[in-house]
Amino acid sequence: MHIAIIGNGISGITAARYIRKLSGHKITVISRETDFFFSRTALMYIYMGHMRFKDTKPYEDHFWEKNDINLIRGSVASIDFDSNTLHFEQDFICNDSVLSKAPSHLQYDRLILALGSSPNKFGWPGQDLQRVHGLYTMQDLMQMEKLSKDLERAVIVGGGLIGIEMAEMFHSRKIPVTMLVRESSFWDMVLPAEESAMVNQQIRIQDIDLRLDTELEEIVGNDQGQAVRVKTNHGDSIDCQYVGLTAGVHPNVQWLKDSPLDIDRGILVNEYLQTNLNGVYAIGDCAQLHAPDPGRKNIEAVWYTGRMMGETAAYTICGVPTEYHPGIWFNSAKFFDIEYQVYGNVPVDISDDHDSLFWQDDDRERSIRIVYSTDDQVVIGFNLMGVRFRQEVCEKWIRDHTPIAEVMRDLVLANFDPEFSPYYHRKLQEVYEQKTGKVIEPQLKPRRFDSVFKFLKKEV
Amino acid sequence: MKEEIYPSMSLANPHPPFVDWVQKLGVGIALVGLGLMLVSLFNLAQTPSFFWISLGCMTAGTLLFAWRQYAGTHPGIKNNGVWFSGMTTRGLIAWIAGIFLTLFYVLLYWYPETLGFRSEGESTGLVAFFNPLSMALKNQPATQWFVYGTLYTLAIVLFGVKFLFKYRHNRYHILRTISVIFFQLVIAFLLPEFLERLNQPSMDLKNMWPLNYYFFFDWNLDRLIQGGNLGIFMLVWGIALILVISPALTYFYGKRWYCSWVCGCGGLAETAGDPYRHLSDKSLKAWKIERWLVHGVLVFAVVMTGMVLYTYFTGSSQVLFLNSYSVRGWYGFLIGAAFSGVVGVGFYPLMGNRVWCRFGCPMAAILGLQQKFFSRFRITTNGGQCISCGNCSTYCEMGIDVRAYAQKGQNIVRASCVGCGICAAVCPRGVLRLENGKIDIDQRTTDKRAVHIPYDEVGLMG
């Protein structure tokens, strides 16, 4: 059986690796971006000089041939779903490939679409000018690099995770940055107010011109069609030579809209990640689940869901039908120097149904929040800023509907900070003691891995 | 893919002023100090006041540089521009530094007279330049080894302070850096010099066989046995270190208790060598070479020591067809001097800061075997949070592909891991943690769940 995979990001590559682990099927992975899989989460570190491109490749180049995974560098122009044929763009030019040239067409028996995302554009005037870019692909990074020469100011539109990464990148080169954020506080559709304020502070500490409650009105170009200025909805005009569009991403499926594939915002898939067409699967950022699990969204453009989907699809294709159940939500990010981790459900507004225990340090550089439901006092989510918690422990507490009292008593189990770090969990326990008037009597010694292991093995 | 296609981004402006004028001033002051030492080679500026000025300039310059680099920055990871600077990417200046260091080691080991050392009569040149400090500490004129020990200690202290600035947000790094500074300054440098002043047998009490390869040499054993109570104590201590203390500590904490908390080679690597940690080779091939080489040196050290002891107890220098004196001579030349010194430190700017520890150190080999098979230590990974970015692997000075484990949700249990903890520090998602656990000691390397498909379905493992 020949399995073709379009896209060599984390989803496509994980699928390829697991199909190889499970079978001897012929595998072909097609990418127009790079010859070999690299970690796009590390694009920012290449720009900042922390790593070289080659350091972002999780497997050495000889890995693919050794594992009999064929790689093609090329651009799929169209897919004939009736005859199971991929047609390649013939005038696709890339001068940096060491792979053999893409064929004109390719037959497959199973097809996996792992197409990734594209940056959102909301019909802003000037959004298609030169020097206006998102940050998703290697090509985006190279554009950003090229334009950084003599760059006097960059304007970043959108207050998401890519936006703050981009700000950090420019800042590392001492290039002045203005961020236009529509919301009244950074990422406040995801972060509760206190955490969001911590990020605002973090951005401003770095001398970045953060403009909240500000929307892009227009990008103004010069005679050469290059962006030179942006105008905001407050009438301000900001000169710049680079505009970063980071107001989220959408599935990269525009080119398939006229195909027989069932497409909404993304390619619609069932719990086996199968599309409406027989033998065609969609995974990663481009897939939209008909019926996501409770607490999960139908499109989740994050790294680990791509990995999980790749693995799940591989099992199904190799004869072990496997449903996609990503489990309890988690995610992480880094806002300049503050690490962020979330486990479970942390609503932006802690409503009547929920309550939360919250501690933050005096400098507003660290915080811990635990959300629980008011009626049965069961823990539902953890939000960490500048503090590391152990995912498996948090997840088990949530899954087992653990009462807040028990979590607070055993909070030390979640500690994942480096050895000798201060006991931040103790601060939250103090908050709990003040709030409830109860005194916590810890039963576990701090930082004992053995207790963690026992806890994780314990059946409820 | 050809690397030059995605250049280290040379088109643009990857060189914002990472080094400002204050730092340049710092470098300048330190170079004045170094320059005074160089001219002392030719017996110029050969006075105590110039010596103290030289030491003072090196100290002040280095500290000014370090302070300026990190003061005023927000505490956090400071790797901006590491791959853009010639000094840290095998550029011209790195080669110059490497050749300079290498040359110094060659002269030190094999041509000490060029540094001014005289076995008869009074030394001159650089060696004599250090007399003021040597007289102050032990009331004896300096030797080339005193010069070396002083510079080595100074490097650990000064670059240790720089490292403390850099990692001031992380207590693990603060404590282990204070620890290596203490062990070098007090245990390896001041205490032995002080004992010499008192005419007592002196010894670096933390320098353990087989790293200290001459511990069982006849002259050393005789010296300790004839050294009174203190000498006997040192002999017993040295043997207890090998047989009891080291295995116990390695069992509880992994080899890091030695390699990145105590050892002098490790101390220099973690401080002066820190800017070069990303230069270690991460390829599978390098790992294969490493295993052959480091265990080969261990076998060499054990065989050589066995022969030396045979000779000591039987009086016969001929062991089978080999002369034990000649074997130990070769070990000293090849391993003791060429590998650990010239290659080990001289090549910092070219091959990374742990070349010796990774490829050559027999002590690291022993501790590594124990760490792998009989220790509570491992680096755990935090569920499925790894984003495969590669910071951990890039900044692993031992060339371990940490990411390969982390992205599978697998613990890292590797013989070579010195437990420096930098992988955990540079991880932008808080995925790694150095831990000791007894309960799962036999399952340390089992795959954990890196995906979240429930166990009872098909039991997907990372």
Side-chain angles (χ1 to χ4, degrees), chain A residues 96 315 325 390-391 395 417, chain B residues 5 81 382 433 435 452 460:
Chain A
D96 61 12
Y315 272 87
H325 294 299
R390 199 184 293 266
Q391 180 183 359
E395 197 181 45
D417 277 325
Chain B
I5 301 302
N382 201 3
R433 186 166 193 264
E435 291 191 279
H452 276 227
L460 297 192

Side-chain angles (χ1 to χ4, degrees), chain A residues 150-161:
Chain A
D150 306 322
L151 182 53
E152 283 162 25
R153 178 167 294 274
V155 170
I156 296 169
V157 182
L161 298 180

Side-chain angles (χ1 to χ4, degrees), chain A residues 8-251:
Chain A
N8 73 344
I10 180 65
S11 328
I13 285 300
T14 308
R17 281 180 44 243
Y18 274 89
I19 292 168
R20 178 51 69 244
K21 274 190 184 186
L22 299 167
S23 75
H25 298 316
K26 185 181 173 197
I27 304 169
T28 305
V29 183
I30 300 143
S31 166
R32 57 180 291 156
E33 186 183 12
T34 54
D35 284 3
F36 301 105
F37 169 54
F38 76 101
S39 181
R40 74 176 70 263
T41 52
L43 283 173
M44 67 182 292
Y45 299 110
I46 302 176
Y47 182 91
M48 298 200 299
H50 294 208
M51 284 191 272
R52 294 163 299 176
F53 171 67
K54 78 182 264 198
D55 301 318
T56 69
K57 289 188 279 188
Y59 305 94
E60 290 185 61
D61 291 352
H62 58 71
F63 174 89
W64 309 103
E65 199 179 330
K66 193 179 144 203
N67 287 285
D68 197 18
I69 294 172
N70 303 307
L71 303 178
I72 290 181
R73 183 78 178 277
S75 176
V76 177
S78 63
I79 305 170
D80 184 344
F81 289 102
D82 296 328
S83 64
N84 289 5
T85 311
L86 306 176
H87 293 280
F88 287 85
E89 215 177 273
Q90 282 313 290
D91 48 4
F92 175 75
I93 300 166
C94 79
N95 53 11
D96 61 12
S97 180
V98 296
L99 304 176
S100 50
K101 199 176 174 302
S104 65
H105 63 279
L106 187 74
Q107 294 274 333
Y108 63 81
D109 300 303
R110 298 280 183 280
L111 178 65
I112 300 178
L113 299 167
L115 308 172
S117 297
S118 299
N120 285 336
K121 294 181 175 181
F122 293 105
W124 295 297
Q127 66 182 15
D128 294 318
L129 287 167
Q130 290 173 49
R131 305 194 198 162
V132 181
H133 295 281
L135 179 59
Y136 190 86
T137 62
M138 174 56 77
Q139 284 72 25
D140 291 335
L141 181 74
M142 292 176 79
Q143 283 302 322
M144 194 171 160
E145 180 62 48
K146 209 163 105 187
L147 294 169
S148 293
K149 190 172 159 57
D150 306 322
L151 182 53
E152 283 162 25
R153 178 167 294 274
V155 170
I156 296 169
V157 182
L161 298 180
I162 308 279
I164 196 165
E165 281 185 7
M166 207 183 241
E168 188 176 351
M169 290 161 76
F170 284 125
H171 184 258
S172 78
R173 303 266 186 104
K174 298 184 164 50
I175 295 168
V177 177
T178 298
M179 287 181 87
L180 309 184
V181 174
R182 190 182 58 183
E183 292 76 24
S184 57
S185 182
F186 185 86
W187 220 32
D188 66 0
M189 59 288 199
V190 177
L191 294 174
E194 289 85 355
E195 283 91 328
S196 173
M198 290 165 74
V199 184
N200 296 340
Q201 169 183 301
Q202 209 48 219
I203 296 171
R204 286 179 169 144
I205 283 176
Q206 313 281 350
D207 285 332
I208 282 163
D209 174 23
L210 173 64
R211 303 196 187 187
L212 299 169
D213 282 318
T214 304
E215 289 185 52
L216 174 66
E217 196 84 357
E218 183 188 352
I219 306 172
V220 182
N222 61 10
D223 300 344
Q224 288 99 52
Q226 299 167 317
V228 289
R229 194 177 311 122
V230 299
K231 289 182 179 169
T232 73
N233 61 340
H234 300 308
D236 296 322
S237 220
I238 306 160
D239 288 341
C240 60
Q241 298 79 38
Y242 180 94
V243 180
L245 299 184
T246 62
V249 293
H250 61 270

